Amino acid sequence: MTDPLDPLDLEALEAAARDQLDRGVYDYIAGGADGELSVAGNLAAWSRLRLRPRVLRDVARVSTATTLLGSEVATPLMVAPMAYHRMAHPDGEAASAAGAAAAGALYVCSTQATMSVEEVAAAAPEAARWFQVYVVRDRGWTAELVARAAAAGYRALVLTVDVPLLGNRLRDLRNDFRLPTGLKPANAPPAGAARQRELASDVLAQAGQFDPSLTPDTIGWLAERSGLPVVVKGVLRGDDALACLDAGAAAVAVSNHGGRQLDTVVATADALAEVAAAVGDRAEVYVDGGIRRGTDVVKALALGARAVLVGRPVLWGLTAAGAAGVERVLSGLAGELQLAMALCGATGLGQLTPDLLAGPDAARS
């Protein structure tokens, strides 16, 4: 029988996690908006791309090392910001951060974590980590939270901009999804006792605190309050990417929130080339959404990304084996990337260029 922790078989890993998790928890992680066409579209878009490998290159030594906003990392993989890791494993975000560090990947901690920013930082104090921000209506609380993140050693903020309102997630509505008893967002804004009890379990109520009136000015406001570079996550258009950079963003992440916000939205693999072309050399570009293979990472970097963010597979690994499961998923993807690079005739990430892709996607880049 295939080991469900084998990172080369993420379908088996997800199946094992499905068997371990409560139905509502599994659906919360796996599900998307409306008919979940965007979830499927992200996966399909990477699969459609075809590689044009180079041959007769000396690939005896292949390096996946890079820098992300100046931080040295062993691999261009990041753990995407995801909520409520303790639903998957009791060790929660601390295990995810430790597993990412062991694999040489950068960890992005969610505002909606079930552990405080300080607790997550303590799990891997020397590793590179960023903090994802949902700006809430109480701007004073947001300013305090990002200052705490800076003090705890997070090296950048990741501002999520595609959730002015929560998407129509039918699985959660059908399941009347609530956080399991005893779990709550550890970094939640202050509220009265009755409101705190509601927010502790009601995901919709939590999202109702997000500020829907964000503008590009928010980027500079966050940078000023934290002293950290700001990455804007949720960009799918070249013009929006330029607006973010003009407002002070240090980088942008091409993302459709894993298909969880707006259904039938463009797949991230299809949006990446336009954003990368618009940004040019002004800033780093990252991408998430449906990354499941090392070949997907090769394609993303060939299209102009500097790194990719990995979401659901990390939580399947966390469910299976805590920090060790996270490490095996990320190390497996890193190993696949290294092999795919060698088979494409590339010894470094800088050699993953648009000419490695066949057809119109290469021309668009």
Side-chain angles (χ1 to χ4, degrees):
M1 180 180 296
T2 301
D3 182 355
L5 272 175
D6 182 357
L8 299 179
D9 192 350
L10 293 180
E11 290 185 2
L13 182 61
E14 179 177 353
R18 185 191 302 117
D19 291 341
Q20 288 182 242
L21 296 170
D22 291 341
R23 170 66 181 273
V25 171
Y26 170 78
D27 279 352
Y28 175 80
I29 297 170
D34 292 319
E36 301 186 354
L37 298 176
S38 292
V39 177
N42 279 342
L43 295 165
W46 296 114
S47 297
R48 284 196 305 269
L49 294 171
R50 292 292 181 266
L51 293 167
R52 299 172 62 240
R54 310 179 187 105
V55 296
L56 294 176
R57 267 58 170 187
D58 179 355
V59 291
R61 295 184 179 181
V62 175
S63 173
T64 62
T66 189
T67 59
L68 302 176
L69 294 183
S71 293
E72 295 182 357
V73 290
T75 180
L77 302 176
M78 295 186 270
V79 173
M82 295 173 287
Y84 318 132
H85 287 213
R86 275 183 166 161
M87 294 194 307
H89 191 278
D91 294 339
E93 288 82 5
S96 298
L106 187 146
Y107 180 74
V108 185
C109 181
S110 171
T111 291
Q112 298 298 95
T114 47
M115 302 181 74
S116 71
V117 291
E118 293 84 3
E119 289 173 317
V120 178
E126 302 304 317
R129 60 186 176 275
W130 297 349
F131 183 69
Q132 177 267 341
V133 184
Y134 283 121
V135 176
V136 299
R137 298 171 193 271
D138 183 346
R139 288 293 183 93
W141 174 83
T142 299
E144 179 183 342
L145 180 60
V146 298
R148 284 173 52 198
Y154 293 80
R155 302 180 190 179
L157 299 180
V158 179
L159 171 63
T160 295
V161 296
D162 55 4
V163 191
L165 300 170
L166 197 66
N168 194 32
R169 302 173 190 177
L170 296 182
R171 294 202 211 191
D172 296 345
L173 294 171
R174 290 166 182 154
N175 292 331
D176 190 25
F177 177 70
R178 297 288 189 274
L179 289 183
T181 302
L183 293 186
K184 63 179 181 179
N187 303 301
R195 182 63 170 162
Q196 284 183 348
R197 286 193 295 271
E198 178 188 12
L199 292 173
S201 63
D202 190 336
V203 174
L204 289 175
Q206 293 166 22
Q209 297 192 107
F210 299 164
D211 188 347
S213 65
L214 303 187
T215 69
D217 292 342
T218 308
I219 298 168
W221 180 83
L222 281 172
E224 182 180 351
R225 295 303 182 278
S226 65
L228 297 175
V230 176
V231 179
V232 179
K233 178 176 177 289
V235 176
L236 293 170
R237 299 166 52 105
D239 53 359
D240 277 347
L242 290 177
C244 291
L245 298 187
D246 290 344
V252 296
V254 176
S255 174
N256 60 24
H257 216 93
R260 296 166 67 81
Q261 278 298 101
L262 179 64
D263 206 14
T264 73
V265 72
V266 63
T268 51
D270 294 332
L272 175 55
E274 176 189 333
V275 173
V279 170
D281 295 331
R282 290 183 61 185
E284 295 179 4
V285 176
Y286 319 120
V287 66
D288 68 10
I291 302 290
R292 297 293 183 271
R293 289 289 183 188
T295 48
D296 296 339
V297 185
V298 167
K299 294 168 186 177
L301 271 59
L303 284 169
R306 190 172 184 88
V308 305
L309 297 100
V310 182
R312 294 174 177 95
V314 169
L315 293 183
W316 307 144
L318 178 64
T319 300
V326 172
E327 179 186 0
R328 290 187 68 176
V329 167
L330 294 170
S331 293
L333 286 171
E336 287 189 351
L337 167 62
Q338 188 172 38
L339 175 60
M341 287 173 61
L343 294 176
C344 283
T347 59
L349 300 182
Q351 296 174 18
L352 301 179
T353 48
D355 63 290
L356 281 173
L357 296 173
D361 295 284
R364 281 193 298 149
S365 300

